[in-house]
C-alpha cells in the first residue's frame, strides 16, 4: 500500500493574488457599466441631439442640464451663439454634470467659485441660477458673439486651460440647434417605463423656472388631468422675442423630452409630431390622424393649435 502523498497547500500570498485579481475584474466591470450608463451605452437610458452625421449622445442627466442651459439663454433673450458658448463651457468644466466638487471651491455646471463672488454654494448648485450668472457675465463681454468661442468663454471663466473650450464647439453647436428649437424633432431620449405618476405642478414649476414667468397659464383648464398645454407665444418684449413661433415650440418640446425621466412624462406632442415614453426608442413620429380626443382641449395629440390660433406644446404625464 502506497504512502499518502501530501499535496502542498496554496500559499497565503497566492490566495491574496487570486482575490486581488478577482476584485480587479469586478472593479473593471463596474467601471465599464458606469461608463456605459453615463455615456448612453447599449441598454442604458440615453439621449441624442442632432441628425445624420452631426449628433451628440449623452446621458439623461446631461440632457437635462443642457436643456436647462439653453432654456435659461432663451429666457434671457440671448442669441444662439451665446447658448453655444455656454454649452461648450459646461461641457469642458463639468461634462454637463452638476458637480458638488471641483478645483478648490469650484462647484456646479460651470465650476463657479463662491469665494470669487459667483454666489453661495447652494445657489451655484442650482443649474438655472448658475446658467443665468454665466449669461450675465457673458453679456458684459464687448462683442462676444464675434469672438472665437475660446476667447469669449475665457473672458467669463478665467480658466487655467483656456484653449480646452474649443474642442467642444462642434458638439455644443449640435446641442444648440436642437435645444433652441432651430432643428425640429431633433432631441430624443430613450427612457425606462414610468413607474411613478407625474406631477403637473412640478412640470409647470420647472417650465416657469427655466423659461420665465408666463410660459404656462396660471390655471389648469377643467378636465386637464395629467395633460399640460403650453401655449407657444411670440410677442415683442417676451423671452421668445427674436425666435419664430415654431422654433420656440420645439425648444419647449425638447426641454420636456430631456426632462421626461425626472418628471415622469409619458408623451410630448407638437406640430403633428409625437414622442412617447413607451416607444421612446423610435424617437419622434408622425401623430396618428385618428387619435383619441382628450377632454381638456377637444383635440387629438397631433393637434398643434388652440381654438384662438395659438400653437401649443402638449405634455402628458404618467398617470
Amino acid at each position: 500500500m502506497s504512502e499518502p502523498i501530501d499535496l502542498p497547500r496554496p500559499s497565503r500570498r497566492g490566495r491574496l493574488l487570486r482575490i486581488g485579481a478577482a476584485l480587479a475584474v469586478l472593479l473593471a466591470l463596474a467601471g465599464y457599466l458606469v461608463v456605459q450608463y453615463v455615456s448612453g451605452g447599449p441598454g442604458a437610458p440615453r439621449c441624442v441631439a442632432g441628425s445624420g452625421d452631426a449628433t451628440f449622445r449623452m446621458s439623461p442627466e446631461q440632457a437635462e442640464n443642457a436643456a436647462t442651459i439653453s432654456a435659461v439663454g432663451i429666457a434671457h433673450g440671448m442669441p444662439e451663439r451665446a447658448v453655444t458658448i455656454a454649452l461648450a463651457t459646461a461641457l469642458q468644466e463639468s461634462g454637463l454634470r452638476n458637480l458638488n466638487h471641483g478645483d478648490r471651491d469650484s462647484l456646479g455646471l460651470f465650476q463657479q467659485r463662491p469665494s470669487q463672488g459667483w454666489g453661495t454654494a447652494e445657489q451655484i448648485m442650482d443649474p438655472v441660477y448658475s446658467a443665468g450668472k454665466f449669461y450675465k457675465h457673458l453679456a458684459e463681454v464687448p462683442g462676444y458673439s464675434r469672438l472665437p468661442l475660446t476667447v469669449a468663454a475665457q473672458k467669463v471663466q478665467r480658466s487655467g486651460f483656456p484653449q480646452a473650450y474649443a474642442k467642444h464647439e462642434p458638439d455644443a453647436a449640435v446641442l444648440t440647434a436642437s435645444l433652441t428649437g432651430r432643428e425640429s424633432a431633433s432631441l430624443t431620449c430613450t427612457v425606462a417605463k414610468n413607474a411613478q405618476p407625474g406631477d403637473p405642478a412640478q412640470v409647470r414649476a420647472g417650465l416657469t423656472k427655466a423659461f420665465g414667468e408666463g410660459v404656462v397659464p396660471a390655471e389648469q383648464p377643467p378636465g386637464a388631468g395629467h395633460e399640460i398645454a403650453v401655449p407657444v407665444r411670440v410677442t415683442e418684449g417676451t423671452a421668445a422675442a427674436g425666435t419664430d413661433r415654431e422654433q420656440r415650440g420645439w425648444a419647449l418640446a425638447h426641454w420636456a423630452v430631456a426632462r421626461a425621466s425626472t418628471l415622469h412624462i409619458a408623451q410630448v406632442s407638437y406640430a403633428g409630431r409625437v414622442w412617447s415614453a413607451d416607444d421612446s426608442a423610435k424617437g419622434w413620429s408622425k401623430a396618428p390622424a385618428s387619435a383619441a380626443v382628450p377632454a381638456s382641449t377637444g383635440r387629438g395629440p397631433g393637434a398643434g393649435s388652440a381654438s384662438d390660433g395659438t400653437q401649443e406644446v402638449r405634455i402628458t404625464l404618467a398617470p
Side-chain angles (χ1 to χ4, degrees):
M1 188 175 194
S2 61
E3 295 288 333
I5 301 174
D6 290 329
L7 296 174
R9 294 183 178 180
S11 67
R12 183 180 180 189
R13 182 181 178 186
R15 289 198 302 272
L16 290 175
L17 287 173
R18 285 194 292 274
I19 292 172
L23 287 173
V25 171
L26 289 174
L27 287 173
L29 177 60
Y32 170 80
L33 292 174
V34 169
V35 170
Q36 290 300 307
Y37 178 82
V38 170
S39 63
R46 65 185 185 279
C47 299
V48 182
S51 59
D53 294 332
T55 59
F56 180 74
R57 295 179 179 273
M58 58 198 146
S59 70
E61 176 195 2
Q62 291 172 303
E64 284 191 33
N65 291 325
T68 296
I69 291 170
S70 178
V72 173
I74 293 172
H76 283 70
M78 303 296 283
E80 287 188 30
R81 178 61 176 171
V83 176
T84 299
I85 295 169
L87 287 168
T89 301
L91 279 165
Q92 170 59 28
E93 297 290 355
S94 67
L96 285 173
R97 297 178 183 89
N98 198 25
L99 302 177
N100 62 0
H101 61 274
D103 178 44
R104 288 170 282 189
D105 59 339
S106 299
L107 296 168
L109 291 172
F110 296 92
Q111 290 292 278
Q112 295 158 337
R113 298 179 60 192
S115 64
Q116 300 301 306
W118 286 94
T120 66
E122 183 179 2
Q123 287 174 323
I124 291 171
M125 288 301 294
D126 178 352
V128 172
Y129 173 89
S130 63
K133 291 292 283 187
F134 179 88
Y135 286 121
K136 180 180 182 295
H137 284 269
L138 181 64
E140 294 170 354
V141 176
Y144 72 84
S145 62
R146 299 186 299 274
L147 295 175
L149 185 145
T150 293
V151 175
Q154 174 64 0
K155 285 185 177 295
V156 176
Q157 295 294 107
R158 307 294 182 185
S159 169
F161 305 95
Q163 297 304 317
Y165 300 115
K167 65 186 178 185
H168 299 289
E169 184 167 1
D171 290 334
V174 169
L175 282 169
T176 298
S178 291
L179 293 171
T180 62
R182 177 159 50 83
E183 288 193 3
S184 60
S186 59
L187 186 284
T188 185
C189 295
T190 56
V191 300
K193 185 175 178 60
N194 285 296
Q196 301 178 33
D199 182 351
Q202 288 187 1
V203 178
R204 292 161 65 84
L207 283 164
T208 299
K209 186 174 182 179
F211 287 95
E213 295 290 338
V215 70
V216 287
E219 298 289 338
Q220 285 260 113
H226 279 70
E227 183 180 88
I228 299 171
V230 186
V232 183
R233 303 188 181 98
V234 180
T235 56
E236 197 62 36
T238 69
T243 63
D244 67 354
R245 182 174 281 106
E246 184 171 353
Q247 180 171 342
R248 166 75 164 176
W250 280 114
L252 292 163
H254 289 157
W255 177 92
V257 171
R259 301 294 309 275
S261 290
T262 301
L263 296 175
H264 309 293
I265 293 173
Q267 182 176 284
V268 181
S269 60
Y270 178 65
R273 306 292 294 276
V274 175
W275 175 91
S276 171
D278 289 342
D279 295 316
S280 58
K282 297 179 181 178
W284 289 88
S285 59
K286 187 176 180 180
S290 58
V293 178
S296 60
T297 62
R299 297 178 306 282
S305 299
S307 57
D308 62 358
T310 303
Q311 290 181 316
E312 62 185 29
V313 176
R314 304 239 301 283
I315 300 172
T316 305
L317 306 181

